[in-house]
Amino acid sequence: LNGRIKLQSAAGERWVAARDFYTSLFTTDIGDEELLVEIALPPLPAGTGTAFTEMARQHGDYALSGVAAVVTVDGNGICTAAQLVYLNAGEVPMVAEQAAQMLVGKRPSEEVWLKTAVAASQNEIDPRGDIHATADYKRHLAKVLTIRALKQAFERAKQ
């Protein structure tokens, strides 16, 4: 959402782009003496819809895979901007810029969502297998969740 995070310590404050906040798995840019004190999110343009979906073995567990989608449509229903971000798909939240750009200039459809989901899950994320799921299974989940998130985000954008 192009947010910024304010970190503060006795020495002062600093702002970090939300995109740069996570530096590696379970590690953030917060210094030893800093506290996160504010998150600033710019307003979303008219015609924007958002969605977040994730899959976990049990409700409340750490997600095997997750995706956030943000889309903006014009008055004719054509996508003018899109963002896709994945969790548990790499060392940090993974931004699928090329896949998101596949949506721009197009009308939302199952075919467009599937092509976008395949591109993101195969080319822009790097999930690691673990005791809960293989990397291939996490890629599959990312693809399925991308389609769900895009469908919901485009529905919300029309409202």
Side-chain angles (χ1 to χ4, degrees), residues 90-113:
E91 288 291 310
V92 296
M94 304 291 289
V95 179
E97 292 179 11
Q98 292 173 341
Q101 282 305 302
M102 293 173 65
L103 298 162
V104 176
K106 299 208 173 53
R107 247 180 228 294
S109 70
E110 294 284 340
E111 180 183 348
V112 169
W113 299 334

Side-chain angles (χ1 to χ4, degrees), residues 1 44 48-54 66-72 83-87 145-157:
L1 299 174
L44 295 172
T48 298
T50 63
F52 173 77
T53 186
E54 64 182 351
V67 62
V70 181
V71 297
T72 303
Q83 294 181 62
L84 292 167
V85 181
Y86 293 82
L87 65 91
L145 295 175
T146 299
I147 294 167
R148 288 181 189 171
L150 287 173
K151 183 176 184 177
Q152 189 173 46
F154 275 106
E155 277 297 317
R156 290 176 174 171

Side-chain angles (χ1 to χ4, degrees), residues 62-66 86-89 121 125-145:
Y62 186 74
L64 298 173
S65 183
Y86 293 82
L87 65 91
N88 205 5
S121 65
I125 65 172
D126 187 23
R128 295 193 176 182
D130 55 33
I131 63 170
H132 303 290
T134 65
D136 286 341
Y137 184 68
K138 289 179 181 183
R139 283 184 191 282
H140 171 73
L141 281 177
K143 180 179 84 171
V144 171
L145 295 175

